């Protein structure tokens, strides 16, 4: 009997038969996450219902020396939840209880399978919401958000998942249950919460998440500004931030992204726009009103030829509809596409967008840009047709070249989608050996056997147990400064 | 020749004679930090001037198996910089360069010995300041702030040091130089920055700190509200926070603290006040004006018998003078005192303050309360006279009983002063063995030899190298939830 067969027997005994999947056809449902060009069928899928069952699965894996990967809704875009062919996939989607909503201390306690938007829905009657809003918020899980430290359009003002998680219950890779953080803004001892959030499942599995709730703003105002091109829209973005205004969101779409959105959802953006900005302000009414006038003025001063102001929630939703559907919408103008994710210094936006255009032309592909301009967090969509010989390869090359460009400009290889399986190869471009060694030491502290989501984040698998050959005394190093 | 003598020869050769102190009289200067009732004379003091020299000192310690403790200005209140009798004290006070102030991306890069207030002074001409403001900000160092994750009066709105440090260069306990974080809000890989900030020197020595600069607010308004007692002042605090206003600060002083402040600096607080609140709002003028009216109204509704509004900066400074001098001022009404630091849920403030009164009476000591009411972060000052037989012991007991009280109410053993040497014994009251094991694993990852500030934070020294006997499968545990 194979190790996996023995594991299946043990897990069926403790979790129940229906919570353990080994049928090949059923297993194929889980072969990839949102990054569909990597596919690996797991050896076994476990569907635990509570913390004790997650601990039982992890303990069984640890005893058998079998790797495990945790998965929420499977919407991630970096292959962070890509299964291991000889391993167990722990799907937390059935752990969906919202355990508490506490307006009095602005906290919610939820299970990892809870959908991002459900937290906001549960908090809204109390006058609160959950701020981090990935585009996939209608389907992505809080557990997955924790693993990837997910962002979203409104992270410019409100920060990423890591800024909104105050406590975790986690199962460590030896099957122990522990707590990191709590309800307070700070606690004694090491802050391991920050290290866990964004660790992409390599330090364990989150089984309960305490998040900060944010008060619904008194006022929200949204404008859509149309520009002739991305140069002007980029300059307007820099001018707004430079003026000390922190909008809730500044989103940019270029001509090709606008074309796709129009084709898909007929959002009716201004004709002739080479770029649009969606700028949203929220907060106390008095503040929003004053700053909104300034944003309006700065857009005009930087070449906006039409500015629309959302008169009500319906019009506001229409502005966002084009933006939020943009990723899917490119399917209307291209059979296949790659969603890239990288960060550049905001001030370099116009120049980098021009160079992306040149790169696309050189590779014979089209690139649509739709992104979080305020953060400098690019999401180039590299369009291609898999049916045309060689196009997929050229698209991959162009996509990789865009990441090279981000690094060249002092940026980062990922803004919010994570490293996952996809970008581990780029890590040595951003970090020195010493930097990566320090991360590996922590990984080994949590996971000496290397069974928690192996193959993700780190470019080179390495056994724990030995101190790495650190470059002691090397005073010269490449910094990992990013903007 | 002893190990320390050999170390002194090696360090004098590399750092220069005048940067290595071994004279017993000179060493006594460093025998304690701000928590003066623990005193240990170090075996050697090193005064490095740059990162390479810090690395050289740490490497020499690692080679010799000698413990080291880092120290900034030595103003800490938990004994975090208490020296080791057989170890090296690394004083970073001579690393005082502000390397850059960059308003364009709201960052400053400073050396660890830079004084907190100097960062604000350097940033002010650009329209910025450094938000975390410990009461000791005129003398405490940024490196020390990083070690202890220091807070201050304005952390209610702006967060602690950890929320304002975006990148560190650190020397790890094997003498390697590495970087954690950078200039960006987020970066790929593990976020070890959060774990390092507040690790009290047990993971290494920070040699360069990148901090976020905060834009000077357009408007600041401050009021002083006098109440008959702490019950009313506590209720007003809860009402303000409950109304969704986030003041920059809400500080409370009780009758004894007011008496001390009046004796010391004649701040002229309203006569007959059993408690005062200082509430400060900052931000855009329009927002501040609207919220200020509400705060005023809520203070009145909760029993304030006199409310003064600062007409200008001079009056504002006078309000704060009493508060900021309060710790030192108790010296006017008591020969000796202990500064305690604990956190409770804000809503429990009136009840806990009553119980502190009872505790004080039972121990035959007086307790003055002056604290960050908005955070529920208490700073009881336990007054005693060391010349009176038994009073010091009773004061110690009362001070410990206050921490027990914080834990009983679901709070925390430290709000902003750190665990240090002083509170390691309380850690098992807040954390389970599994929680502490997880922290120890990380400590061992950075410091397998256990030479970085040993004896701090953790209640029981333990050798690294073995996996701890974790309580695998134990689903029941004491949570470490704090408010």
């Amino acid at each position: 009997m194979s190790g996996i067969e023995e594991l299946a027997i043990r897990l069926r005994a403790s979790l129940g038969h229906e919570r353990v999947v080994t049928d090949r056809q059923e297993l194929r449902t889980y072969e990839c996450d949102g990054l569909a060009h990597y596919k690996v069928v797991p050896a076994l899928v476990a569907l635990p219902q509570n913390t004790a069952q997650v601990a039982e699965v992890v303990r069984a894996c640890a005893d058998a020396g079998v790797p495990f990967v945790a998965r929420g809704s499977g919407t991630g875009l970096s292959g962070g939840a890509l299964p291991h062919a000889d391993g167990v996939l722990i799907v937390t989607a059935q752990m969906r209880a919202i355990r508490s909503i506490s307006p009095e201390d602005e906290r919610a306690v939820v299970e990892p399978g809870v959908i991002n938007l459900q937290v906001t829905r549960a908090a809204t009657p109390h006058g609160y919401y959950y701020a981090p809003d990935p585009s996939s918020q209608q389907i992505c899980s809080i557990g997955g958000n924790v693993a990837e430290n997910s962002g979203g359009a409104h992270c410019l003002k409100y920060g990423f998942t890591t800024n909104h998680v105050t406590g975790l219950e986690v199962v460590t890779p030896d099957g122990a249950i522990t707590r990191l953080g709590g309800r307070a803004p700070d606690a004694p001892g090491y802050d391991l919460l920050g290290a866990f959030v964004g660790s992409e499942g390599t330090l364990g599995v989150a089984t309960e998440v305490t998040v900060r709730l944010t008060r619904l703003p008194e006022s929200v105002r949204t404008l859509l500004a149309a520009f002739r091109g991305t140069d002007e829209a980029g300059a307007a973005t820099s001018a707004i931030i430079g003026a000390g205004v922190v909008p809730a969101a500044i989103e940019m779409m270029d001509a090709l992204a606008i074309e796709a959105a129009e084709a898909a959802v007929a959002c009716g953006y201004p004709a002739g726009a080479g770029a649009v900005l969606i700028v949203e302000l929220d907060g106390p009414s008095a503040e929003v009103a004053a700053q909104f006038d300034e944003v309006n003025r700065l857009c005009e001063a930087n070449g906006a030829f039409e500015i629309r102001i959302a008169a009500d929630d319906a019009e506001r939703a229409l502005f966002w509809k084009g933006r939020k559907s943009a990723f899917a919408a490119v399917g209307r103008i291209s059979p296949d596409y790659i969603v890239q994710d990288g960060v550049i210094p905001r001030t370099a936006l116009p120049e980098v967008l021009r160079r992306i255009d040149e790169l696309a032309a050189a590779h014979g592909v089209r690139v649509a840009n739709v992104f979080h301009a305020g953060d400098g967090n690019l999401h180039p969509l590299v369009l291609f047709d898999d049916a045309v010989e060689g196009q997929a390869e050229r698209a991959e090359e162009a996509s990789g070249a865009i990441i090279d460009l981000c690094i060249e400009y002092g940026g980062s290889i990922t803004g919010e989608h994570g490293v996952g399986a996809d970008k581990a190869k780029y890590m040595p471009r951003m970090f020195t050996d010493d930097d990566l060694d320090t991360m590996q030491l922590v990984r080994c502290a949590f996971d000496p056997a290397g069974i928690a989501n192996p193959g993700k984040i780190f470019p080179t698998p390495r056994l724990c147990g030995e101190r790495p050959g650190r470059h002691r005394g090397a005073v010269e190093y490449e910094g990992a400064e990013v903007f």
Side-chain angles (χ1 to χ4, degrees), chain A:
Chain A
M1 197 157 56
S2 78
I4 288 291
E5 283 166 358
E6 284 175 17
L7 203 61
I9 292 168
R10 172 170 170 180
L11 292 180
R12 287 203 170 100
S14 55
L15 272 63
H17 192 85
E18 71 288 3
R19 315 224 164 278
V20 180
V21 179
T22 52
D23 175 78
R24 186 79 188 167
Q25 268 315 104
E26 283 184 64
L27 289 175
R28 288 202 57 180
T29 316
Y30 301 97
E31 68 186 0
C32 65
D33 61 10
L35 183 76
H37 68 271
Y38 292 104
K39 290 192 171 75
V40 175
V41 179
L44 184 152
V45 168
L47 299 156
Q49 293 211 294
N50 53 47
T51 301
Q53 289 189 350
V54 173
E56 170 56 24
V57 177
V58 172
R59 212 175 305 130
C61 289
D63 289 345
V66 165
F68 65 87
V69 178
R71 172 188 162 118
S73 300
T75 54
L77 291 167
S78 63
L82 185 74
H84 192 287
D86 303 316
V88 171
L89 188 73
I90 303 174
V91 177
T92 60
Q94 300 196 357
M95 295 172 70
R96 286 214 177 175
I98 293 179
R99 293 192 182 160
S100 67
I101 298 282
S102 311
E104 65 282 7
D105 68 345
E106 308 190 325
R107 294 288 183 275
V109 179
V110 305
E111 292 183 352
V114 168
I115 300 302
N116 174 297
L117 196 59
Q118 298 290 353
V119 184
T120 287
R121 292 220 172 106
T124 301
H126 305 278
Y128 286 85
Y129 74 112
Y130 178 62
D133 59 338
S135 296
S136 55
Q137 68 181 134
Q138 300 198 11
I139 172 171
C140 65
S141 72
I142 294 291
N145 293 174
V146 168
E148 298 296 334
N149 186 22
S150 304
H154 292 79
C155 290
L156 172 62
K157 179 170 179 178
Y158 291 103
F160 290 75
T161 299
T162 193
N163 304 112
H164 296 268
V165 171
T166 70
L168 290 174
E169 176 191 70
V170 306
V171 173
T172 51
D174 59 353
I177 298 164
T178 191
R179 280 191 176 262
L180 307 176
R183 299 178 85 91
D186 193 40
Y190 299 147
D191 174 12
L192 300 179
L193 186 65
F196 195 95
V197 177
S199 63
E200 310 196 16
T202 61
L203 303 182
V205 184
T207 50
E208 184 191 273
V209 185
T210 303
V211 299
R212 186 194 314 284
L213 297 174
T214 303
R215 195 171 278 259
L216 288 165
E218 187 187 353
S219 165
V220 180
R221 297 197 69 186
T222 311
L223 68 75
L224 180 93
F227 298 82
R228 291 295 165 205
T230 51
D231 278 15
E232 292 85 351
T237 302
S238 287
I240 291 164
I241 302 284
V245 179
V246 183
I250 307 184
E251 298 286 305
M252 199 194 295
M253 294 169 69
D254 71 3
L256 194 53
I258 296 167
E259 180 193 329
E262 291 292 353
V265 297
C267 42
Y269 287 171
V276 296
L277 284 186
I278 298 173
V279 186
E280 188 157 283
L281 295 171
D282 68 11
S285 304
E287 176 187 353
V288 168
Q291 295 193 336
F292 198 73
D293 291 344
E294 187 165 11
V295 168
N296 218 316
R297 194 180 58 68
L298 290 169
C299 285
E300 274 177 8
N302 284 279
F305 67 83
E306 183 173 341
I307 296 177
R308 296 181 187 169
I309 295 166
D312 51 29
D313 283 353
E315 198 170 359
R316 179 179 166 235
L318 194 64
F319 289 180
W320 278 106
K321 192 175 180 187
R323 165 63 185 89
K324 294 215 167 177
S325 65
F327 284 15
V330 296
R332 294 294 185 106
I333 59 167
S334 175
D336 302 287
Y337 62 97
I338 298 167
V339 180
Q340 191 46 284
D341 168 46
V343 182
I344 54 164
R346 196 169 44 232
T347 46
L349 267 178
E351 192 175 334
V352 171
L353 291 174
R354 272 197 300 277
R355 290 198 52 190
I356 290 177
D357 270 354
E358 294 165 16
L359 271 175
H363 287 83
V365 294
R366 291 186 301 166
V367 175
N369 285 291
V370 42
F371 59 97
H372 312 314
D375 291 321
N377 184 184
L378 302 177
H379 288 313
L381 299 156
V382 184
L383 315 187
F384 68 99
D385 185 348
D386 205 12
V388 178
E389 171 87 20
Q391 271 215 6
E393 292 70 28
R394 289 206 303 279
E396 269 297 329
E397 281 169 26
S399 180
I402 289 171
I403 288 302
D404 291 339
L405 206 56
C406 291
I407 297 171
E408 179 188 331
Y409 279 81
S412 164
I413 61 174
T414 170
E416 56 187 10
H417 295 174
V419 177
D422 196 32
K423 292 184 171 172
K425 60 182 177 287
Y426 295 115
M427 288 290 276
R429 300 280 306 272
M430 281 202 64
F431 296 101
T432 64
D433 287 349
D434 270 352
D435 295 334
L436 291 171
D437 282 350
T438 303
M439 291 184 208
Q440 288 271 20
L441 287 174
V442 171
R443 198 247 172 91
C444 289
F446 278 80
D447 181 24
I451 59 171
N453 211 6
K456 313 296 163 64
I457 302 182
F458 295 103
T460 330
R462 207 177 51 198
L463 294 178
C464 299
E466 270 188 294
R467 295 284 290 173
R470 296 186 71 132
H471 307 173
R472 282 183 34 173
V475 178
E476 284 78 30
Y477 52 85
E478 290 283 313
E481 303 239 334
V482 292
F483 285 82

